[in-house]
Amino acid sequence: MKIDSVEFFYAAMPEVTLAADGSQDALLVRVTSGEYVGWGECEASPLVSIAAFVTPRSHGVCQPVAASVLGETLDGPEDIARIAALVERNSMDLLQAAHTFSGIEIALWDLLGHRFEQPVWRLLGYEKSTPKVPYASMLFGETPEQTMQHVSAAMIAGFRAVKVGWGGFGETTVQSDADHLMAAREALGTDGILLVDAGQIWGSDVEAAALRIPALAEARATWLEEPFLAHAYGEHAQLAARSQGVGIAGGEGAHTTHMATNLIDYGKVSYVQIDTGRIGGIGPAKAVADYAHAHGVTYVNHTFTTHLALSASLQPFAGLADHRICEYPAEPSALARDITSTGLALDENGEISAPDAPGLGLDVALENLGPYLRTVDISVDGTTLYASGTSAGRAVTVDA
Amino acid sequence: MKIDSVEFFYAAMPEVTLAADGSQDALLVRVTSGEYVGWGECEASPLVSIAAFVTPRSHGVCQPVAASVLGETLDGPEDIARIAALVERNSMDLLQAAHTFSGIEIALWDLLGHRFEQPVWRLLGYEKSTPKVPYASMLFGETPEQTMQHVSAAMIAGFRAVKVGWGGFGETTVQSDADHLMAAREALGTDGILLVDAGQIWGSDVEAAALRIPALAEARATWLEEPFLAHAYGEHAQLAARSQGVGIAGGEGAHTTHMATNLIDYGKVSYVQIDTGRIGGIGPAKAVADYAHAHGVTYVNHTFTTHLALSASLQPFAGLADHRICEYPAEPSALARDITSTGLALDENGEISAPDAPGLGLDVALENLGPYLRTVDISVDGTTLYASGTSAGRAVTVDA
């Protein structure tokens, strides 16, 4: 069967603020092949990712993503890998292509799952979907007291692990950072898992990061995430060598499989965190999970948006029982909640699993999206290359 | 002084083919600050790079490039570095941002050069602009005889070095590749410099690349360029360890300084090739040149488009006398030739140098561009975010 159409749905909150909250907009992708439909989601900057699908080509290896997708045969996972290789080759010089294709690739897996009536994780070769311990991802409070209150609220909601990050951490004094960390530990009690996200705040400055290690160790942080720029492998390794048992985590910026395995090989991280909405989808994320498992590194998803993205991000390590921790968007925007009709709720153990249902196992609630949908028009020389509500393959009617 | 406006000019040949010829389109950038004007150029996919300048923000670290540029103070090179850091932070999750900002950053240097009446290379701290040996960059012929004819024509035109690449090299038989290489060597004579570009054809397959090493060594190729994917550092290093004196080259895909220094540290390349239109402009390219020089690696520009891009790409290593080889677009499209009113011609020694004139030392011939200019319109929810002939800062009239 052929890929008949690829449609994008750009949804955003009425006001998008400067907070480090990645759930304020979303780019959904709907792919059709014959009577089958699949859904996926690209991480961040919807307009730019749409442009990368429809842009005029610059030359043979700078073609729009559409050129490698529309009309291609899709009969099994090997076709997804083949199409991914086409994109990698034909869009070599188009930087945004990986982000655009990520959502499409996820939709191709979802579609195949519906066609073969299998969850995606089974198509990936896993025999069962093992439970994960979700951590509530949140921003530091403005004061240590606020941080303590936020973490306590997550514990009351049933979480056993919390990640705090951003919100000025690493930018003020070492003592202030230490106060926030000890407040978080106090709220977590002895057994709660504490994770800390620095959001690349120290750039390439290993010494600035190292100053925070004693407090991180004292607060028994399991990991320190993204201390440096995504490509700063040497700096990651230097910090890992003096991190007093605090694991170094990173990888969300990876837009190729190699970027993630390089962070393992050269950055010496203990946790590799992959966003299926950026790395090129579920296939490359699975390759990273296999590599991490073989190299004694723990695979973790990176997800700060919808439960569609959450399900997609669980698939690559669904069958790896020893890779237990997973990111869970604890305080998503209304938009992110409304995109799916059901979500992945915590069970009685405070755990979640990739669904047993076909594909990603979640229904996109297109009927909820009306208030959030943005219309996009892109034209070159007066010719429309993209208009919301139509697809490159055929015209469609948006139900919303 | 403040940055008042940033304008884009998207130019393309009437027909853009699937050839690996990067000169078929161009995205020029004009920046104004008070009475001063600077020009730059982004590499590839003009529509997507424009979209990254004007896109609505997704969150605090996924802002459009415009948010970090328009209205910023520009009084010296330190402001360019400061603005680059803003883009790196505020557009962290916008993959295309590096390509968009590259052209802007180049224009900022050109503008400062005009304001201070200094060539850019002097603003970078170099005392003189040293001559470079340009190599003619061309595609392999369809037959070894054609390859020989192409290389001979370049020698007759005064080149002492030729790079052949793409055109099926690495995709057919080892013998066929060897025949092309020996044909090129025959045309070059004993003293001509032979460079070979594999265009990532072997992906991650070290053995496939290694099969071509004996012929490359026999033809005395100075380097083998881009045997693998841009992030495949381990594969580069493995090939370098068995390359029989043929240097491994790469780096054109680098969109951060770290990507290039990683290729040196982990990929063990002998030549690092930087495109100022991709890595974020002249500042990060200069940082790579300094790093390469300190680590015994030769810095080379990557340029396949206009002489504006060529001048920009020469600045970062203009004062490094020992880094002699430079890429020179030998057979550019009519568009690429018409963009500047003058170009960087070979002198009597067959060499070129970064110009002594202020800024990049070349005038953009806007009056030539009319037939090539493409108009772009981008709107979200019916509001125009971009329309050719206007800028985000103020309306302008295109002279063409």
Side-chain angles (χ1 to χ4, degrees):
Chain A
M1 297 176 70
K2 303 290 183 189
I3 296 174
D4 296 319
S5 72
V6 174
E7 302 150 76
F8 294 98
F9 299 86
Y10 173 10
M13 294 294 289
E15 189 194 358
V16 175
T17 73
L18 288 173
D21 171 7
S23 75
Q24 300 182 79
D25 67 8
L27 182 63
L28 297 172
V29 185
R30 179 167 66 182
V31 174
T32 59
S33 175
E35 67 263 47
Y36 300 103
V37 173
W39 285 92
E41 186 176 334
C42 306
E43 230 301 275
S45 215
L47 175 66
V48 183
S49 286
I50 292 170
F53 190 76
V54 300
T55 185
R57 67 184 175 215
S58 288
H59 52 80
V61 295
C62 193
Q63 297 185 55
V65 174
S68 304
V69 173
L70 291 173
E72 287 295 323
T73 296
L74 178 68
D75 286 323
E78 67 285 1
D79 285 317
I80 299 180
R82 183 182 52 77
I83 293 167
L86 283 178
V87 173
E88 188 171 64
R89 182 78 192 160
N90 296 335
S91 299
M92 183 193 294
D93 289 348
L94 176 47
L95 195 48
Q96 190 72 18
H99 283 196
T100 301
F101 184 63
S102 293
I104 297 168
E105 203 258 17
I106 292 167
L108 297 178
W109 284 105
D110 187 44
L111 190 153
L112 283 185
H114 288 291
R115 181 166 155 190
F116 298 125
E117 299 185 329
Q118 299 282 342
V120 170
W121 51 263
R122 194 164 285 138
L123 297 180
L124 291 171
Y126 291 129
E127 291 187 3
K128 55 183 272 192
S129 169
T130 60
K132 307 295 179 192
V133 177
Y135 64 81
S137 223
M138 57 181 61
L139 309 179
F140 276 107
E142 293 197 4
T143 62
E145 292 70 32
Q146 265 191 12
T147 293
M148 196 184 318
Q149 286 162 12
H150 291 176
V151 174
S152 294
M155 299 296 283
I156 291 166
F159 286 97
R160 291 145 51 192
V162 168
K163 185 172 85 184
V164 281
W166 300 79
F169 182 80
E171 288 184 292
T172 58
T173 66
V174 173
Q175 185 59 51
S176 166
D177 290 348
D179 292 344
H180 279 274
L181 292 171
M182 293 314 295
R185 169 50 65 200
E186 192 174 332
L188 282 162
T190 307
D191 296 334
I193 297 170
L194 173 61
L195 313 165
V196 179
D197 184 358
Q200 303 190 9
I201 196 68
W202 299 302
S204 304
D205 187 346
V206 177
E207 294 310 317
L211 286 174
R212 274 75 182 185
I213 290 293
L216 287 160
E218 191 184 346
R220 292 188 294 111
T222 299
W223 77 51
L224 172 63
E225 172 176 337
E226 280 218 310
F228 308 118
L229 299 171
H231 290 91
Y233 305 134
E235 290 82 351
H236 281 82
Q238 287 173 49
L239 189 65
R242 48 200 280 204
S243 67
Q244 302 179 24
V246 178
I248 305 301
E252 68 179 84
H255 56 86
T256 73
T257 304
H258 275 103
M259 269 187 76
T261 57
N262 287 339
L263 194 61
I264 292 172
D265 292 341
Y266 308 122
K268 308 296 182 192
V269 296
S270 300
Y271 300 87
V272 66
Q273 307 166 292
I274 299 303
D275 198 314
T276 50
R278 291 179 184 158
I279 199 170
I282 291 171
K286 170 67 160 56
V288 175
D290 290 343
Y291 193 89
H293 189 64
H295 288 76
V297 166
T298 301
Y299 182 97
V300 190
N301 64 304
H302 175 265
T303 312
F304 212 87
T305 55
T306 71
H307 280 222
L308 185 74
L310 180 61
S311 176
S313 75
L314 289 172
Q315 307 294 333
F317 71 127
L320 298 178
D322 297 339
H323 301 244
R324 288 271 287 162
I325 295 181
C326 86
E327 182 164 37
Y328 187 91
E331 297 169 333
S333 69
L335 152 69
R337 283 195 305 271
D338 288 349
I339 277 179
T340 52
S341 39
T342 56
L344 303 182
L346 274 57
D347 66 17
E348 64 276 15
N349 298 321
E351 298 178 343
I352 64 169
S353 306
D356 268 328
L360 298 177
L362 291 175
D363 289 320
V364 171
L366 210 47
E367 66 279 7
N368 290 348
L369 286 189
Y372 304 110
L373 283 178
R374 299 259 174 119
T375 61
V376 171
D377 288 273
I378 300 173
S379 71
V380 171
D381 290 341
T383 300
T384 297
L385 297 184
Y386 181 82
S388 293
T390 62
S391 80
R394 61 172 188 217
V396 299
T397 306
V398 176
D399 304 325
Chain B
M1 298 175 69
K2 304 290 184 189
I3 296 174
D4 296 319
S5 72
V6 173
E7 301 149 75
F8 293 98
F9 300 85
Y10 173 10
M13 294 294 289
E15 191 195 357
V16 175
T17 73
L18 288 173
D21 171 7
S23 75
Q24 300 182 80
D25 67 8
L27 182 61
L28 297 172
V29 185
R30 179 167 67 181
V31 174
T32 59
S33 175
E35 68 263 45
Y36 300 103
V37 173
W39 284 94
E41 187 175 334
C42 306
E43 230 302 275
S45 216
L47 175 67
V48 183
S49 286
I50 291 171
F53 190 77
V54 301
T55 184
R57 68 183 176 217
S58 288
H59 53 78
V61 295
C62 194
Q63 298 185 55
V65 175
S68 304
V69 174
L70 291 173
E72 286 295 322
T73 296
L74 178 66
D75 286 323
E78 67 283 3
D79 285 317
I80 299 179
R82 183 182 53 76
I83 293 166
L86 283 178
V87 172
E88 188 171 65
R89 182 77 190 160
N90 297 335
S91 299
M92 183 193 294
D93 289 348
L94 176 46
L95 195 49
Q96 190 72 17
H99 283 196
T100 301
F101 184 62
S102 293
I104 297 168
E105 203 258 15
I106 292 167
L108 296 178
W109 283 105
D110 187 44
L111 189 153
L112 283 185
H114 288 292
R115 180 166 156 192
F116 299 125
E117 298 185 330
Q118 300 281 342
V120 170
W121 50 264
R122 195 164 284 137
L123 297 180
L124 291 171
Y126 290 129
E127 290 185 5
K128 56 183 271 191
S129 169
T130 60
K132 307 295 180 193
V133 177
Y135 64 81
S137 224
M138 58 181 60
L139 309 179
F140 275 107
E142 293 197 2
T143 62
E145 293 69 32
Q146 265 191 13
T147 293
M148 196 184 318
Q149 287 161 11
H150 291 175
V151 175
S152 295
M155 299 296 282
I156 291 166
F159 286 96
R160 292 144 52 190
V162 168
K163 185 172 85 184
V164 281
W166 300 78
F169 182 80
E171 287 185 294
T172 57
T173 65
V174 173
Q175 185 59 52
S176 165
D177 290 348
D179 292 343
H180 279 275
L181 292 171
M182 293 315 294
R185 170 49 67 200
E186 190 174 335
L188 283 162
T190 307
D191 296 334
I193 298 170
L194 173 62
L195 313 164
V196 179
D197 184 358
Q200 304 190 9
I201 196 67
W202 299 300
S204 303
D205 187 346
V206 176
E207 294 310 317
L211 285 174
R212 274 75 183 187
I213 291 292
L216 287 159
E218 190 184 348
R220 291 188 295 111
T222 299
W223 77 50
L224 173 64
E225 173 175 337
E226 281 217 309
F228 309 117
L229 300 171
H231 291 91
Y233 305 134
E235 291 80 351
H236 281 82
Q238 288 173 48
L239 189 64
R242 49 200 280 204
S243 67
Q244 302 179 23
V246 178
I248 304 301
E252 69 180 82
H255 56 86
T256 73
T257 304
H258 275 102
M259 269 187 76
T261 57
N262 287 339
L263 195 60
I264 291 172
D265 292 342
Y266 308 121
K268 308 296 182 192
V269 296
S270 300
Y271 301 86
V272 66
Q273 307 166 291
I274 300 303
D275 198 314
T276 51
R278 290 179 184 158
I279 199 170
I282 291 171
K286 170 66 160 56
V288 175
D290 290 343
Y291 193 89
H293 188 64
H295 289 75
V297 166
T298 301
Y299 182 96
V300 190
N301 64 304
H302 175 265
T303 313
F304 212 87
T305 55
T306 71
H307 280 221
L308 185 74
L310 180 61
S311 176
S313 75
L314 288 172
Q315 307 294 332
F317 71 127
L320 298 178
D322 297 340
H323 301 245
R324 290 270 289 161
I325 295 181
C326 87
E327 182 164 36
Y328 188 91
E331 295 169 332
S333 69
L335 153 69
R337 283 195 305 270
D338 288 349
I339 277 179
T340 52
S341 37
T342 56
L344 303 182
L346 274 58
D347 66 15
E348 64 276 18
N349 297 322
E351 298 178 342
I352 63 168
S353 307
D356 268 329
L360 297 177
L362 291 176
D363 290 321
V364 171
L366 208 46
E367 68 278 9
N368 290 349
L369 286 189
Y372 304 110
L373 283 178
R374 299 258 173 119
T375 61
V376 172
D377 288 273
I378 300 174
S379 71
V380 171
D381 290 342
T383 300
T384 297
L385 297 184
Y386 181 82
S388 293
T390 62
S391 79
R394 61 170 187 218
V396 298
T397 306
V398 175
D399 304 324

